[in-house]
């Protein structure tokens, strides 16, 4: 994001329709500095979910609406979810090797 490249951010949601659970992910796409929001249709229903905004504190604003445009009411409290992305840094071993060499050097110099 800091490099100015195109990216998207989404909210992974689970929709429960008549006992069946569906994963949906409305997204915010940023291309050339312009934001656009996508709408996800929930399968086997006439409800669509739109991501309206994202706030840096991790708060999202979504709207669920039926195909006729009327709003959908929800009676459940939102669950808090923490998403973590793990990445592998191939040269991190060089950093640890440097720490080990410096520690051995320090011990030799003190002796």
């Amino acid at each position: 994001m800091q490099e100015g490249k195109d990216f998207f951010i989404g909210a992974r949601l689970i929709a429960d329709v008549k006992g069946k659970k569906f994963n949906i992910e409305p997204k915010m796409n940023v291309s050339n500095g312009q934001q656009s929001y996508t709408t996800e249709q929930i399968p086997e229903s006439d409800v669509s979910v739109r991501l309206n905004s994202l706030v840096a504190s991790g708060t999202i604003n979504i709207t669920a609406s039926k195909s006729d445009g009327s709003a959908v009411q929800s009676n459940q409290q939102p669950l808090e979810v923490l998403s973590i992305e793990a990445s592998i840094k191939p040269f991190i071993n060089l950093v640890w090797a440097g720490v080990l060499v410096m520690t051995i050097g320090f011990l030799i110099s003190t002796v």
Side-chain angles (χ1 to χ4, degrees), residues 11-16 21 23 58-60 62 74-83:
R12 290 186 180 161
L13 306 173
I14 298 172
D16 189 343
K21 295 188 182 213
N23 293 322
T59 304
I60 63 170
I62 61 172
S74 174
N75 59 357
Q76 293 184 344
Q77 294 293 325
L79 299 175
E80 292 190 24
V81 176
L82 173 63
S83 297

Side-chain angles (χ1 to χ4, degrees), residues 18-66:
K18 298 178 184 174
K20 292 183 181 179
K21 295 188 182 213
F22 300 99
N23 293 322
I24 59 172
E25 187 174 5
K27 299 175 185 162
M28 175 186 77
N29 297 312
V30 177
S31 179
N32 297 326
Q34 299 295 321
Q35 295 178 356
S36 62
Y37 296 93
T38 61
T39 301
E40 287 284 323
Q41 180 72 29
I42 299 175
E44 299 183 17
S45 73
D46 63 343
V47 177
S48 60
V49 177
R50 181 179 186 340
L51 181 65
N52 293 327
S53 66
L54 291 166
V55 181
S57 66
T59 304
I60 63 170
N61 183 0
I62 61 172
T63 302
S65 60
K66 294 184 179 181

